[in-house]
Amino acid sequence: MSLQRLKAFLEMDPTNVLLALDLIEGLAKQEDFQAALHIVNQSLALNPEHADLISWKGHVCLALLEYDKAVQAYHTLFRLGYTQPGLKINCALAYFQQGKYEAAHDLLEQVPELDVANTLLKVRCLAHLENVSQAIADTYRLLALCSSEQHAEVHGLLSLLYLDDAQYEEAEKHCRASLQLDDNQCDALITSASLSLYRLEIETALKVLEPLMKRYPEMGRLLAMKALALMYVHQYDAAIQWYEKACQKMPGHVGSRVNLGWCYFSVMNYDGAESCFKAGLKIDRNFAECYGGLAIVNAIREKWSDSQDQFKRALKLDANCPSALFARALYFQVKGKAKEAESIMAGLMTFKSDLSPENLSEVVLKTLMNRRH
């Protein structure tokens, strides 16, 4: 029966759930999800606890990227006693898209014998929850279980996980394996661009990054990588714009917030830098670089007591925190302890961070000199 005839019959008999379900399914197959949702809502108004209608609401809202409504629909089904694995997996996917990785992982844990595709979803949750070692172990096991068509994605995800675990040789190995199978594999391309950035091969990184950004313009990680590339070539104003976008997409990512702070610092916007470092502390109270950044900002402002408090807190968390060591060196210089200051500066002059092709001391000294003119 055509969709037009189904619509006509449903208008004459709006309480007929079977007609409604046939029409919803037909619209969904045509990917007319807005029209499908309209019929779902009409029918639910007359049959508010009909499980098939509620299930369709979850599925259609998921397709429309309306994740809050999808989660509500699936939880209504759970409350009514429907706990099929497919419902839990779909709800987990909606949670994942919302950035609620723990909730997504908890649901996937309840599903016995997850297939490879959904195990990968579970692994991505673990990675976002910073359990990278477990994520690597779980993904590695999939190499023996996945189909030949899935090998590229498994290798690609492994490359990204090893990258985030700072195991760069393993990251590169799995990146190559993935791209040999599928030269368009997203995770592997992110790894490839990231490794190029770490080597300061900016043009090579951007050749990979730009097409990826066209495919995934809202992906926070890509926005942050674009910002980092600009930061490497000292285009701080442009980097600030991209980091601002990245922080909006990844409000819980402290590293992007701190990098944004250093960009503001580099253009001598100390209020902006201070705001970013403080925002970073709201995300992670134990992130040493936030205290180190605040220590340098206060050193610039000659608020030496505040600077001392902050670099001490930073060094308790990370004895090698470069920004805190720099702030302490500046403090010693002001207090007349030239030898101690020179000792710290000598070490810092050899330190290279992942944030800039310059070492931190060069960035700060350049800003201090600009401030004097």
Side-chain angles (χ1 to χ4, degrees):
M1 190 182 300
S2 71
L3 295 184
Q4 289 300 323
R5 292 191 68 187
L6 281 172
K7 288 178 184 177
F9 284 134
L10 187 60
E11 287 174 3
M12 291 186 289
D13 186 7
T15 61
N16 191 325
V17 175
L18 292 178
L19 273 177
L21 291 171
D22 285 345
L23 178 55
I24 293 162
E25 183 177 1
L27 291 167
K29 284 180 178 178
Q30 290 188 351
E31 298 187 5
D32 190 351
F33 297 115
Q34 286 290 359
L37 182 59
H38 177 70
I39 303 300
V40 168
N41 288 333
Q42 272 189 344
S43 298
L44 276 174
L46 301 171
N47 306 274
E49 293 199 344
H50 195 286
D52 290 336
L53 290 172
I54 298 169
S55 180
W56 268 113
K57 177 152 190 176
H59 304 340
V60 171
C61 287
L62 197 56
L64 290 169
L65 313 184
E66 296 182 9
Y67 301 120
D68 287 340
K69 292 178 181 178
V71 167
Q72 290 173 12
Y74 292 126
H75 275 279
T76 299
L77 289 170
F78 300 155
R79 177 175 55 80
L80 294 172
Y82 297 92
T83 58
Q84 291 92 328
L87 297 176
K88 290 183 178 181
I89 289 169
N90 282 356
C91 190
L93 178 58
Y95 272 135
F96 182 88
Q97 297 295 345
Q98 289 179 307
K100 297 178 180 178
Y101 305 115
E102 188 170 2
H105 180 266
D106 288 348
L107 274 174
L108 293 171
E109 279 278 275
Q110 298 171 28
V111 179
E113 299 181 6
L114 279 173
D115 61 13
V116 171
N118 289 305
T119 301
L120 289 173
L121 177 60
K122 183 179 174 183
V123 164
R124 293 182 191 278
C125 292
L126 286 171
H128 282 287
L129 294 170
E130 299 185 2
N131 191 349
V132 179
S133 58
Q134 186 62 53
I136 289 172
D138 289 354
T139 309
Y140 207 91
R141 281 194 288 271
L142 293 177
L143 285 174
L145 302 173
C146 66
S147 67
S148 57
E149 292 80 9
Q150 293 171 315
H151 265 98
E153 184 179 3
V154 174
H155 278 297
L157 181 53
L158 270 174
S159 76
L160 200 56
L161 293 171
Y162 277 121
L163 178 78
D164 290 343
D165 203 39
Q167 298 187 51
Y168 300 122
E169 289 184 9
E170 288 295 314
E172 190 154 23
K173 180 179 77 175
H174 288 284
C175 177
R176 285 198 302 268
S178 177
L179 293 176
Q180 284 173 358
L181 296 168
D182 177 3
D183 61 7
N184 212 27
Q185 210 288 316
C186 178
D187 294 326
L189 289 172
I190 291 173
T191 300
S192 176
S194 298
L195 290 171
S196 293
L197 279 177
Y198 295 164
R199 299 186 189 109
L200 303 184
E201 298 167 354
I202 308 303
E203 288 187 13
T204 302
L206 289 174
K207 284 180 182 177
V208 178
L209 187 58
E210 298 291 357
L212 267 178
M213 294 186 72
K214 290 179 181 177
R215 286 167 58 190
Y216 306 102
E218 300 299 310
M219 186 185 290
R221 184 166 188 153
L222 297 180
L223 297 173
M225 289 171 66
K226 173 76 171 183
L228 182 60
L230 292 165
M231 196 173 177
Y232 275 136
V233 294
H234 312 282
Q235 295 183 29
Y236 298 115
D237 288 320
I240 285 169
Q241 294 179 27
W242 286 99
Y243 268 130
E244 289 283 9
K245 294 177 183 178
C247 289
Q248 288 178 2
K249 294 295 179 182
M250 303 186 297
H253 190 246
V254 65
S256 292
R257 188 68 63 179
V258 168
N259 286 10
L260 176 58
W262 286 121
C263 286
Y264 276 124
F265 181 89
S266 297
V267 297
M268 293 181 286
N269 182 342
Y270 306 126
D271 289 342
E274 180 182 36
S275 176
C276 287
F277 296 136
K278 286 182 175 179
L281 288 175
K282 290 180 181 178
I283 299 168
D284 184 353
R285 297 294 302 176
N286 294 316
F287 201 80
E289 190 71 14
C290 294
Y291 292 109
L294 288 170
I296 287 187
V297 168
N298 279 310
I300 291 280
R301 292 169 170 166
E302 299 182 358
K303 295 182 177 180
W304 297 109
S305 178
D306 290 341
S307 181
Q308 183 184 29
D309 289 343
Q310 287 150 352
F311 72 64
K312 282 183 175 180
R313 294 189 73 174
L315 293 172
K316 283 182 180 179
L317 294 167
D318 178 3
N320 296 312
C321 177
S323 55
L325 289 171
F326 198 107
R328 189 168 70 169
L330 295 175
Y331 178 82
F332 282 154
Q333 284 180 335
V334 167
K335 296 300 180 181
K337 298 181 179 181
K339 288 185 178 180
E340 291 91 335
E342 287 174 10
S343 176
I344 294 171
M345 291 295 289
L348 279 170
M349 288 304 292
T350 64
F351 176 83
K352 290 278 185 180
S353 79
D354 287 340
L355 305 182
S356 170
E358 295 177 307
N359 58 55
L360 179 64
S361 53
E362 290 170 340
V363 172
V364 178
L365 282 172
K366 184 183 293 183
T367 304
L368 284 169
M369 290 181 69
N370 287 340
R371 184 169 174 267
R372 290 173 181 168
H373 288 87

